[in-house]
Amino acid sequence: MMSETFTCGDHGALVSYLYDECTPAERRTIAAHLVICGACAEEIVALSATREQLATWTPPDAQLGFTVSAATSKSHVLRPARWWQKSMPGWAQAAAAVFIFGTGLTLGALRGVSQPADSALQRSAARALGSSSAASARNDANAAPVTRADLVALEQRIRSEMSQSHAVSQTVASSPSDERILQRVRTMIDESEQRQRRELALRSAEMVRDFDAQRNVDLTRIERTLGQMDGTTGAEVAQQRQMLNYLMRVSQRGQ
Amino acid sequence: MTLTDDELVARSISGDAESFNELITRWERPIYALAYRVIGREEDARDVCQETFLRAFRALPGFKGEAKFSSWLYRIALNLCRDWIRRQRRAPVVQMPEGIDPSELAAERGPVESIEELVGRRQLSAVVEEAMALLPEEQRTAIILKEYHGLTFQEIADMQGCPLSTVKTRLYQGLTVLRRHLEKSGVGLTKVEGVASSKVAGQITPRLVKR
């Protein structure tokens, strides 16, 4: 709590006065001191000026507009999107598509292999594990050994299926007739020309607008400069007169 | 009818998301401004702003209304700013404004503000931002809360967890450092006499004269 008397160097009291956050009595006490103390008065004036300058600092505009949605659960509200929720770039989508397609093709090819080969693999695996169960033993007893011929047949089957799928895709790709292709190319060229025309018109309009804005700026600046030149002299005289009045009054109070 | 913050908070707690959106609309600009001025980076200030409302939304059921909703938000935002500064472990980087383009200025100037005044205000704003970045975090935060958000000494003391006298000292020291820096930059008192002397000449001086 501030006392009724104010002493020089009480910065806390000066700050309270500066921000007008003190009682009327405290305010009167400090104001009375400021009348007789030039140093404190000067400090208050300087700090007030600094506050005025601080008011010029404005943060840049930002796109905010955060909202919560009633449909979403609380745990998802306003949370930045997780990586799997974000849209993937094109190359990643293409890579994923190729990977999935390749995997599917391989699985499909393997599924197409005859059951004996598949069971042969199972049997060989069971044999390798050395299973002691009766079922495994029976399977083992009935198992035919995997020969090189089996593997060659499997390889041929996979190759033939892959070549078939490749041929199908080529057939699909080459199905459009030449006329349709030409028509499509013409359409694309037309669209491109239209885009260029629109862009040219837009650029022209922008240039005209920029030129006009610059002209207005120059005219305004010239006008303001002339006005300021007229007003500067009067303002300086008024300021000096105000300062003289202030000094006169302060000196009279001091006496 | 415009609802108060307390009424919107009560509705939000009862599950009305639109009421919370109204609170966001009211307070996102001040919170963003606070975050930007404290940490000095636009993108990070946006993140802090978003995280502030996320945390507020989650913690809303526990909000008892002992403090003002805005004070509560400010506290959350300041804690996030503090965490950000700790993570950075360096002084905030001030984004200096880009080159001043008169045509842009012409579009945004007010009806009574000349181009020269607007350019001067932009330059002064850049110098103030630079000077603020020089202050220690506590002084900068105290000044921001007082100057730009109008909090009382007591509210700042509660937020900063320090005595009221410490807040006043921080404000005084911070303003003094700023004043010196601005004077060094050529925008000290002499500049103010021409540009922003209304408060000095119109309020303080007459008061000195009267008494």
Side-chain angles (χ1 to χ4, degrees):
Chain A
M1 196 67 182
M2 204 187 313
S3 63
E4 286 299 316
T5 56
F6 174 81
T7 52
C8 274
D10 187 352
H11 299 142
L14 278 183
V15 167
S16 299
Y17 180 83
L18 185 69
Y19 287 103
D20 199 10
E21 207 171 313
C22 51
T23 64
E26 290 164 350
R27 185 161 194 84
R28 276 194 298 276
T29 304
I30 297 170
H33 174 79
L34 292 178
V35 170
I36 58 169
C37 179
C40 288
E42 190 183 333
E43 183 135 38
I44 281 286
V45 169
L47 292 178
S48 299
T50 305
R51 289 190 62 201
E52 293 277 352
Q53 290 166 332
L54 288 180
T56 62
W57 182 25
T58 51
D61 279 340
Q63 296 293 323
L64 299 174
F66 305 126
T67 55
V68 294
S69 170
T72 53
S73 64
K74 288 186 180 181
S75 60
H76 292 97
V77 172
L78 289 167
R79 184 186 286 279
R82 293 178 174 83
W83 65 267
W84 65 83
Q85 292 170 334
K86 291 180 182 172
S87 60
M88 289 172 70
W91 63 266
Q93 290 182 9
V98 168
F99 176 74
I100 291 168
F101 178 74
T103 308
L105 197 65
T106 308
L107 288 172
L110 288 174
R111 198 172 294 153
V113 175
S114 63
Q115 190 63 28
D118 201 28
S119 58
L121 285 172
Q122 289 176 359
R123 284 193 296 272
S124 61
R127 194 184 311 134
L129 285 170
S131 169
S132 59
S133 68
S136 296
R138 276 196 301 276
N139 281 339
D140 203 28
N142 296 331
V146 179
T147 62
R148 181 176 289 276
D150 290 338
L151 291 174
V152 170
L154 177 62
E155 184 185 357
Q156 283 177 350
R157 183 182 288 272
I158 291 171
R159 282 182 188 282
S160 66
E161 287 184 1
M162 286 182 71
S163 63
Q164 278 174 8
S165 64
H166 187 60
V168 168
S169 65
Q170 277 185 338
T171 308
V172 170
S174 61
S175 58
S177 64
D178 292 345
E179 284 182 8
R180 288 179 63 185
I181 291 170
L182 277 173
Q183 190 178 358
R184 195 171 170 187
V185 169
R186 281 196 205 99
T187 310
M188 288 171 70
I189 290 170
D190 288 344
E191 286 173 354
S192 172
E193 284 178 351
Q194 282 178 0
R195 271 200 305 274
Q196 285 178 359
R197 275 194 221 108
R198 277 200 300 272
E199 196 166 343
L200 182 64
L202 188 67
R203 297 272 179 212
S204 304
E206 280 179 353
M207 275 183 65
V208 170
R209 193 190 61 196
D210 290 347
F211 179 77
D212 199 34
Q214 186 64 47
R215 192 168 63 88
N216 286 334
V217 167
D218 292 341
L219 287 173
T220 310
R221 181 183 294 170
I222 291 165
E223 185 186 333
R224 294 289 179 188
T225 307
L226 287 173
Q228 278 187 344
M229 285 170 67
D230 288 342
T232 304
T233 313
E236 283 180 357
V237 169
Q239 203 173 5
Q240 285 177 356
R241 190 177 297 157
Q242 193 180 11
M243 183 60 75
L244 278 173
N245 287 339
Y246 167 64
L247 289 172
M248 287 289 289
R249 286 173 185 168
V250 169
S251 61
Q252 283 170 2
R253 291 280 174 189
Q255 289 169 1
Chain B
M1 187 184 67
T2 306
L3 297 176
T4 64
D5 282 357
D6 291 339
E7 289 167 337
L8 288 171
V9 166
R11 290 186 180 204
S12 303
I13 290 173
S14 62
D16 182 9
E18 281 310 307
S19 294
F20 193 77
N21 283 337
E22 176 63 27
L23 287 168
I24 294 175
T25 306
R26 277 185 197 178
W27 290 105
E28 66 181 359
R29 290 278 158 200
I31 294 295
Y32 165 74
L34 171 69
Y36 176 79
R37 286 186 173 116
V38 172
I39 66 182
R41 290 195 186 196
E42 194 175 336
E43 278 301 310
D44 294 319
R46 284 187 77 252
D47 290 345
V48 165
C49 182
Q50 186 180 16
E51 185 66 19
T52 298
F53 285 106
L54 174 63
R55 290 199 182 181
F57 188 77
R58 283 178 179 162
L60 207 55
F63 178 65
K64 303 297 179 194
E66 291 162 354
K68 284 194 294 185
F69 177 71
S70 56
S71 301
W72 187 58
L73 277 183
Y74 282 139
R75 188 188 294 270
I76 295 172
L78 279 180
N79 284 336
L80 288 168
C81 288
R82 215 167 283 146
D83 292 345
W84 185 92
I85 290 170
R86 281 200 198 104
R87 279 200 304 272
Q88 296 298 310
R89 293 192 179 280
R90 58 187 164 87
V93 176
V94 178
Q95 290 177 333
M96 296 301 289
E98 293 173 4
I100 295 167
D101 183 1
S103 61
E104 286 179 12
L105 296 177
E108 75 174 60
R109 74 191 172 95
V112 294
E113 193 173 32
S114 71
I115 296 287
E116 287 76 11
E117 285 169 345
L118 192 56
V119 171
R121 189 159 59 84
R122 278 268 186 103
Q123 288 171 340
L124 184 56
S125 173
V127 174
V128 168
E129 186 168 0
E130 192 183 49
M132 287 290 284
L134 299 175
L135 295 180
E137 185 200 332
E138 295 83 10
Q139 290 178 16
R140 188 168 64 244
T141 304
I143 288 176
I144 289 167
L145 290 173
K146 190 67 194 163
E147 288 291 338
Y148 302 102
H149 299 276
L151 270 63
T152 62
F153 294 143
Q154 189 58 57
E155 285 172 329
I156 298 172
D158 291 343
M159 271 184 205
Q160 294 199 314
C162 64
L164 200 131
S165 58
T166 305
V167 171
K168 291 180 183 176
T169 304
R170 284 174 180 171
L171 286 168
Y172 177 80
Q173 289 175 343
L175 285 175
T176 305
V177 171
L178 288 173
R179 170 190 162 192
R180 285 177 191 149
H181 184 83
L182 293 172
E183 282 172 356
K184 267 187 199 170
S185 306
V187 288
L189 194 55
T190 51
K191 173 88 178 179
V192 172
E193 283 172 359
V195 173
S197 61
S198 60
K199 190 167 185 178
V200 179
Q203 293 179 9
I204 295 174
T205 310
R207 195 176 292 127
L208 294 177
V209 172
K210 282 176 191 171
R211 298 180 192 286

